[in-house]
Amino acid sequence: MLVRLAERRATGALLRDTGVLYLADGVVVHAESPAAPGIDVLLTADGRLPQEQWREAMDAAGPGCRIAGYLVDHGRLSGGELEIRHLSALYDAAYFVLAPDGGPSRFRHGAVHWFGRVRPVGVADVERETRRRRRYLAGLWPHAHLDSAPPVRRRGARLPPVTRRQRDVLDLADGRHTPARIATLLGRPAFHTLVDIRRLAAAGHLETGVPASGRIPAAAGAPANGTAAGTATPGTTDPLTPDRTPFTVLDIADGRDVAVLRRLRDALEEHL
């Protein structure tokens, strides 16, 4: 369906159980998933964009779907920084939206995203990056059930040392917080959190539920229930994330090559 929509230069939202891809003229302009922190979280969690400035942008530019442009025009973020963070959020959510067990797909013609125009990405690029990430995670630890189950820390005197980033994840691995929740609490992309979780599992820092045979119990691999992003009741909010309101997008950016940014991202991920 996604390929056909791209060929038809469709504009609207591709909805699955795992999230939503927003298209404009056949290219992907945004993605959201309940398994990944939204663009608002990634922009504000580290303090780079204060909460009051985010709310200011929402109030002033939200009804006109010019939040992205407002942040740049008013000097809150540079165009390059916003572009990189937007691409990070897009690819992060798209990984979950395009999951093999994402459920049936349906398309809502004309649906648009509230954030505004940044940089669109071709469907082929999104699909290729999703497959690359899936292979990358499988190479770290081939048991995908840890991507949705709340991780549990394993303590032992002979465990190998961890990085500071991994320690942040371990501190929240209490059997209650899912990987998606950990990513939101840390203000990090969900995929980066999954990388840390799989590396920690491979190093023995997490209870994996994998017996000596390496086979996963049937129930452990079951996907977590979730509601597609963008379908929540208006006015409801998460106390740990800023308010998000679905506005109408007025226009999109021209398509450009993202190969350079992708290579930069790959190099950074290799050093996580």
Side-chain angles (χ1 to χ4, degrees):
M1 179 185 286
L2 186 58
V3 172
R4 292 197 301 270
L5 291 170
E7 292 173 346
R8 296 172 184 173
R9 300 180 60 84
T11 295
L14 179 71
L15 297 94
R16 305 189 76 203
D17 294 343
T18 47
V20 185
L21 286 184
Y22 290 86
L23 283 75
D25 293 329
V27 293
V28 181
V29 293
H30 207 87
E32 287 189 342
S33 171
I39 183 67
D40 47 1
V41 175
L42 297 182
L43 286 175
T44 60
D46 62 358
R48 173 63 184 85
L49 183 69
Q51 291 279 357
E52 58 270 19
Q53 292 184 5
W54 172 259
R55 288 192 292 268
E56 172 192 294
M58 289 285 291
D59 293 340
C65 299
R66 292 286 302 166
I67 295 176
Y70 183 93
L71 293 173
V72 174
D73 294 342
H74 288 74
R76 307 308 187 207
L77 297 169
S78 68
E81 182 178 5
L82 179 63
E83 194 170 279
I84 290 174
R85 290 185 179 235
H86 173 260
L87 284 175
S88 177
L90 188 156
Y91 280 121
D92 197 43
Y95 172 81
F96 299 98
V97 178
L98 298 179
D101 57 355
S105 300
R106 58 196 184 280
F107 190 69
R108 184 175 299 167
H109 288 277
V112 289
H113 195 266
W114 49 266
F115 187 65
R117 168 175 143 178
V118 186
R119 169 183 282 197
V121 182
V123 165
D125 289 333
V126 174
E127 290 185 323
R128 181 169 55 250
E129 173 61 11
T130 298
R131 290 192 297 268
R132 185 196 72 84
R133 293 187 176 206
R134 211 167 302 284
R135 289 193 302 268
Y136 185 77
L137 288 178
L140 295 176
W141 178 256
H143 304 296
H145 66 291
L146 287 181
D147 293 351
S148 57
V152 179
R153 184 173 187 174
R154 175 188 292 161
R155 300 185 182 275
R158 296 182 179 275
L159 291 174
V162 298
T163 66
R164 181 175 179 179
R165 285 182 54 88
Q166 292 171 340
R167 185 169 301 282
D168 291 340
V169 174
L170 277 179
D171 288 343
L172 293 171
D174 55 5
R176 297 184 298 111
H177 296 106
T178 64
R181 193 59 172 167
I182 291 175
T184 298
L185 291 172
L186 296 177
R188 299 174 182 172
F191 176 74
H192 293 180
T193 303
L194 296 185
V195 168
D196 287 330
I197 287 175
R198 293 221 194 181
R199 284 177 172 165
L200 289 167
H205 285 280
L206 297 177
E207 300 287 348
T208 63
V210 179
S213 65
R215 297 176 61 88
I216 303 172
N225 292 329
T227 302
T231 60
T233 303
T236 61
T237 59
D238 184 331
L240 292 176
T241 60
D243 293 345
R244 280 187 266 179
T245 306
F247 297 113
T248 301
V249 176
L250 301 180
D251 52 10
I252 61 171
D254 294 328
R256 288 176 288 176
D257 183 25
V258 296
V260 174
L261 286 174
R262 187 162 57 242
R263 288 196 297 270
L264 175 61
R265 183 211 51 236
D266 292 347
L268 291 173
E269 287 179 356
E270 290 296 330
H271 288 84
L272 287 178

